[in-house]
Amino acid sequence: IAGITQAPTSQILAAGRRMTLRCTQDMRHNAMYWYRQDLGLGLRLIHYSNTAGTTGKGEVPDGYSVSRANTDDFPLTLASAVPSQTSVYFCASSDGTSNEQFFGPGTRLTVL
Amino acid sequence: GQNIDQPTEMTATEGAIVQINCTYQTSGFNGLFWYQQHAGEAPTFLSYNVLDGLEEKGRFSSFLSRSKGYSYLLLKELQMKDSASYLCAVTDSNYQLIWGAGTKLIIKP
């Protein structure tokens, strides 16, 4: 089934630990995005990639890094997690023509 | 700065009509999206407006006025399953999506 998958579904993490959230799409979309969603703040863009091999910073990039080695995968890494990174993380992709974004199911991350 | 405003919460009755407004101030405009998000789930696409006017899709319609920086989403014949958050998002001059905080719609029997 075409779409976007994210892993893990949820995670509890100790502060200071390193964590990678995985995102894979099989729609051959060029553009991919990572958002965090916090109550009352809506979706905020962390990092994006317009095509394989390129990445860019969004609104709230500090503390996060991404890579885009191929079209399908776009992992998000927290080098040293802090409690303020407790959030729901959504990965999304678009084909770059209509700019409609398709979202993965999300990862609920709690940093203690 | 860039800003999108939506009401935080609205309540409506099953079978009725509700209009959710969205106003925006962005650096450039390349289209406006409405997404639906049920609690605990991912946002899903509802509508896209790039020209002024009304776009109708079944029970849902979306309106855009670019000169006023204004859009609304109209939901008719409300059903309990329409209880969700509705997110307004604008594509700016860099083709990045700027998101509103969302409107939580509560449907009562």
Side-chain angles (χ1 to χ4, degrees):
Chain A
I1 298 177
I4 302 180
T5 58
Q6 292 184 235
T9 303
S10 65
Q11 182 75 45
I12 299 174
L13 191 66
R17 296 297 296 270
R18 180 184 179 89
M19 176 73 191
T20 295
L21 307 185
R22 299 184 299 279
C23 174
T24 299
Q25 54 105 357
D26 63 1
M27 296 177 284
R28 308 303 295 171
H29 284 171
N30 284 324
M32 296 187 75
Y33 313 85
W34 272 106
Y35 292 95
R36 60 178 291 173
Q37 187 175 38
D38 303 290
L39 194 63
L41 294 179
L43 288 161
R44 292 184 291 169
L45 182 65
I46 304 171
H47 286 286
Y48 65 93
S49 169
N50 287 330
T51 189
T54 69
T55 62
K57 295 181 179 181
E59 180 186 356
V60 289
D62 293 344
Y64 305 95
S65 63
V66 292
S67 61
R68 187 85 184 279
N70 56 61
T71 298
D72 298 344
D73 301 300
F74 191 42
L76 176 74
T77 298
L78 289 68
S80 179
V82 296
S84 63
Q85 292 178 311
T86 293
S87 187
V88 179
Y89 291 86
F90 286 104
C91 179
S93 72
S94 70
D95 64 9
T97 54
S98 71
N99 210 37
E100 175 187 347
Q101 295 186 9
F102 297 82
F103 285 81
T107 294
R108 184 173 297 274
L109 182 67
T110 302
V111 183
L112 301 176
Chain B
Q2 309 206 86
N3 193 49
I4 296 183
D5 287 319
Q6 310 177 229
T8 302
E9 186 175 297
M10 300 181 69
T11 302
T13 304
E14 188 177 15
I17 298 173
V18 70
Q19 178 175 311
I20 302 174
N21 296 325
C22 171
T23 58
Y24 62 89
Q25 292 176 310
T26 56
S27 58
F29 177 85
N30 285 297
L32 185 145
F33 290 86
W34 284 96
Y35 279 75
Q36 180 188 58
Q37 185 177 25
H38 285 101
E41 298 182 7
T44 56
F45 170 80
L46 281 179
S47 69
Y48 174 66
N49 295 71
V50 65
L51 300 176
D52 291 349
L54 189 68
E55 294 281 342
E56 297 186 81
K57 190 186 297 185
R59 294 188 299 113
F60 293 6
S61 302
S62 57
F63 172 82
L64 174 67
S65 169
R66 288 172 296 171
S67 63
K68 295 182 179 179
Y70 168 71
S71 172
Y72 67 73
L73 180 69
L74 191 71
L75 291 75
K76 304 176 185 177
E77 303 170 12
L78 286 170
Q79 302 174 10
M80 297 303 293
K81 68 178 182 179
D82 298 330
S83 292
S85 289
Y86 291 86
L87 313 180
C88 175
V90 172
T91 306
D92 70 7
S93 57
N94 294 319
Y95 289 90
Q96 295 293 340
L97 268 181
I98 310 300
W99 295 83
T103 298
K104 182 179 181 180
L105 178 62
I106 300 168
I107 309 297
K108 296 185 175 180

